[in-house]
Every structure is written in structure tokens, then in C-alpha cells.
């Protein structure tokens, strides 16, 4: 039996390809609460209050999509071993293993999953001093929800190859996967096409979460859905659209998993479990349309790879 290629420590950052990188950079820095680390003609890197060099990378593109998802691993030796195991499994590698030629540095390898998403495993990336938590701003990115055309195949790949574990299911519509004690850092949503559904940012407390929503309202930005509290994950939620139409979420209080005691369960898809508080109501057609995104060929197009059969 093949072992997972590495032990993922945490979700470090997400790269989004966006039709509106300048406007989105302004939104995420001036309204959302992230801070610009560096900005160029083709995009920007933004950080939260945590120690990761950046949480979000925005890259100008012809259409919206997912650039890559970056997970932290412990050492360069683990990156090299991951690359060796990827080759044995026949999983496409698009860069590395080796030093990363990107802002933030580090030593990494980037693979392509069966639906064309680029996943980077990164060690020895630059760390930055943590910032104070007085302001209602995100610590960093905490999870990404991905639309998939085959939820069973997606879950199998991320568990068998990347070593993630399923925390819960929402019937056979959503699967929540973890790599550490957080209930989920990746979730898959069964959909008509492959795309990014939304990116979630951790607020330290419910108070920070609500004050962040208040700041957005003061800037004339109201939630697409929320505030509320999910059943799976037990986390608060409030979803917004950025200037390109991509969905971003404030969240707090994610459930913590005790590996020895946690029992994965299947949640019913009913309004009272999607929102335990009963404050948000069911998601509207508008939020569903934003979360559906547009079909994203990902690495199959950008790196001229043949599609997986």
C-alpha cells in the first residue's frame, strides 16, 4: 500500500487568478483587512496577522480561477521525498523539488491533482513577525472550498496521496478534509464543473468576526450570505464577493479534532444544520452563482498537460 507523499502541517496560502487584480488588491487591503507585502503590475501578495509571509496571492489573468494552494511541510528533505513518491505514483510535477523562485522563498514541489489544481508543498519559507490582534482583521487563510465534478475521486486523491483525513460529510454533496487539528482546511463540493468555491479567512474571535462584518458594511459591502454558524465544523460564517466576483469568507471558532476520539459523521443538508443560529437563512441564488464560479481547466491549460483520464 502506498504511503501519503508527505505530512501536511497547515494551509499556508492560496493564489487566486483574477480579472481584477488591482481592484481586488485594494479591496483585500483597504476593506478586508489584509496587508500588502508586495505589489506589481501582474498582482500582489497580502498577509494576515499570522507569521506566514503571505496568505493570499492575487495574479492578473484573463478569467477567474485558482492559481495554487500551498501547504507547509517541515523540511526540504520531506519535499524531496514527496517528489520521489509523486514520481512513483505518476502524479504530474510542474515545478521542483528545489528552491522556490517566488516572493517568500522556501524549498518546494508543486503537483497537479486529477482536476488540474496546482498544489504546492513548501518548507523553509520566510516567516514574518506576528501582528497584534486588536484590529478586526484576519490571521490568515484557514480553508478553501473547491467545486469538483467527482467528489469521491477528489477525496480519494487528497487522502491517499496527500494524507488528509475526512472529518465529516454533508450528505454526499460536501466532504470536509483536515491536515491538522482544524476540522477542515480543504472541502469539496460536488458540482457541474471544477472551480474554486470560496476562500475562508480566520478571525481570532467571534467579536473580531462581527466587527469585521461591521467594517465591510461601513464600506458599503454587505454579505452574500451570513452571518451564521455552520453545523459541520461548528464555525461562524459570513460570505462576501470581491471585485472580481470571487467569494471570500470571514470565519471563527473552527472545531478542533482529537484524532483518537473524533467520529466522522454524515450531516443532513437541512437549513437548521447549515446555519445553527438561524440568522442567515438558506443561501440565495446569487451566492450559489458566485460560489459556482466558471469552469477552470487549471494546470491542464497553463502547463500544457494532458487531462487525466
Amino acid at each position: 500500500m502506498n504511503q501519503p507523499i508527505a505530512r501536511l502541517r497547515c494551509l499556508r496560502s492560496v493564489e487566486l487568478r483574477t480579472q481584477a487584480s488591482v481592484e481586488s488588491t485594494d479591496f483585500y487591503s483597504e476593506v478586508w483587512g489584509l496587508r500588502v507585502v508586495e505589489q506589481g503590475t501582474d498582482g500582489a501578495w497580502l498577509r494576515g496577522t499570522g507569521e506566514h509571509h503571505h496568505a493570499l496571492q492575487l495574479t492578473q489573468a484573463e478569467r477567474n480561477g485558482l492559481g495554487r494552494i500551498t501547504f507547509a511541510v517541515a523540511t526540504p528533505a520531506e519535499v524531496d521525498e514527496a517528489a520521489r513518491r509523486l514520481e512513483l505514483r505518476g502524479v504530474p510535477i510542474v515545478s521542483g523539488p528545489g528552491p522556490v523562485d517566488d516572493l517568500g522563498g522556501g524549498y518546494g514541489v508543486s503537483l497537479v491533482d486529477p482536476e488540474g489544481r496546482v498544489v504546492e508543498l513548501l518548507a523553509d519559507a520566510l516567516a514574518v513577525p506576528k501582528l497584534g490582534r486588536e484590529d478586526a482583521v484576519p490571521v490568515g487563510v484557514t480553508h478553501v472550498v473547491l467545486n469538483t465534478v467527482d467528489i469521491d475521486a477528489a477525496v480519494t486523491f487528497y487522502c491517499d496521496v496527500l494524507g488528509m483525513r475526512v472529518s465529516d460529510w454533508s450528505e454526499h454533496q460536501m466532504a470536509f478534509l483536515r491536515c491538522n487539528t482544524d476540522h477542515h482546511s480543504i472541502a469539496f463540493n460536488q458540482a457541474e464543473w471544477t472551480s474554486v468555491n470560496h476562500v475562508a479567512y480566520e478571525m481570532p474571535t467571534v467579536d473580531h468576526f462581527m466587527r469585521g462584518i461591521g467594517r465591510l458594511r461601513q464600506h458599503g459591502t454587505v454579505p452574500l450570505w451570513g452571518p451564521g454558524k455552520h453545523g459541520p465544523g461548528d464555525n461562524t460564517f459570513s460570505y462576501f464577493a470581491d471585485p472580481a466576483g470571487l467569494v471570500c469568507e470571514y470565519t471563527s471558532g473552527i472545531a478542533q479534532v482529537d484524532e483518537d476520539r473524533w467520529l466522522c459523521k454524515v450531516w443532513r443538508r437541512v437549513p437548521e444544520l447549515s446555519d445553527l443560529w438561524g440568522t442567515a437563512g438558506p443561501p440565495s441564488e446569487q451566492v450559489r452563482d458566485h460560489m459556482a464560479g466558471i469552469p477552470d481547466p487549471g494546470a491542464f491549460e497553463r502547463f500544457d498537460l494532458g487531462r487525466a483520464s
Side-chain angles (χ1 to χ4, degrees):
M1 181 177 177
N2 287 326
Q3 293 182 334
I5 62 168
R7 180 186 173 190
L8 308 184
R9 301 292 176 144
C10 67
L11 177 63
R12 283 189 62 97
S13 63
V14 175
E15 178 191 5
L16 294 176
R17 296 170 62 80
T18 172
Q19 294 177 310
S21 65
V22 174
E23 296 86 351
S24 293
T25 299
D26 291 343
F27 168 80
Y28 283 107
S29 60
E30 296 175 9
V31 182
W32 194 249
L34 300 178
R35 301 191 184 190
V36 174
V37 178
E38 187 164 322
Q39 184 173 6
T41 56
D42 294 328
W45 292 258
L46 301 99
R47 64 165 296 185
T49 62
E51 62 187 9
H52 293 318
H53 178 270
H54 62 275
L56 175 64
Q57 179 181 348
L58 297 170
T59 300
Q60 181 67 34
E62 292 183 359
R63 61 177 181 266
N64 292 342
L66 179 68
R68 63 182 160 179
I69 305 167
T70 298
F71 288 97
V73 297
T75 65
E78 288 189 33
V79 172
D80 288 336
E81 179 63 16
R84 186 187 71 82
R85 294 182 180 185
L86 286 168
E87 289 179 352
L88 290 175
R89 287 173 173 265
V91 176
I93 294 174
V94 292
S95 66
V100 173
D101 183 20
D102 194 12
L103 200 69
Y107 189 92
V109 62
S110 293
L111 62 105
V112 179
D113 80 3
E115 291 183 271
R117 306 179 191 90
V118 177
V119 179
E120 180 182 48
L121 309 184
L122 188 64
D124 284 2
L126 292 177
V128 291
K130 291 183 178 180
L131 301 175
R133 292 188 173 186
E134 298 81 7
D135 295 328
V137 299
V139 177
V141 63
T142 181
H143 69 256
V144 184
V145 176
L146 304 168
N147 295 320
T148 175
V149 298
D150 189 339
I151 195 168
D152 294 315
V155 169
T156 296
F157 181 88
Y158 278 72
C159 289
D160 289 356
V161 176
L162 295 175
M164 303 189 79
R165 286 87 66 198
V166 178
S167 297
D168 284 314
W169 286 84
S170 177
E171 294 187 3
H172 196 232
Q173 180 65 40
M174 292 191 71
F176 301 86
L177 279 63
R178 67 185 184 275
C179 65
N180 50 30
T181 59
D182 287 350
H183 179 270
H184 58 282
S185 56
I186 294 286
F188 287 102
N189 176 62
Q190 181 67 44
E192 295 184 33
W193 52 71
T194 300
S195 60
V196 60
N197 184 292
H198 70 267
V199 179
Y201 300 82
E202 178 194 359
M203 297 298 252
T205 66
V206 173
D207 182 66
H208 290 83
F209 167 81
M210 291 302 296
R211 287 195 286 123
I213 296 170
R215 181 181 61 248
L216 265 75
R217 285 187 176 275
Q218 291 165 14
H219 282 84
T221 303
V222 297
L224 292 173
W225 186 33
K229 188 174 186 180
H230 287 313
D234 199 37
N235 53 302
T236 64
F237 68 86
S238 194
Y239 299 92
F240 299 83
D242 73 13
L246 293 163
V247 180
C248 46
E249 176 193 6
Y250 279 154
T251 188
S252 65
I254 188 75
Q256 296 298 295
V257 172
D258 182 335
E259 293 287 350
D260 295 329
R261 298 183 180 183
W262 187 265
L263 295 177
C264 174
K265 72 177 187 178
V266 178
W267 292 75
R268 293 175 57 220
R269 292 184 64 79
V270 293
E272 57 267 28
L273 296 182
S274 64
D275 176 19
L276 298 177
W277 287 345
T279 54
S284 66
E285 285 302 315
Q286 181 189 27
V287 71
R288 291 183 186 277
D289 287 344
H290 277 286
M291 288 181 171
I294 59 174
D296 184 4
F300 295 136
E301 180 178 81
R302 302 194 331 258
F303 295 96
D304 194 27
L305 299 172
R307 287 185 179 272
S309 59

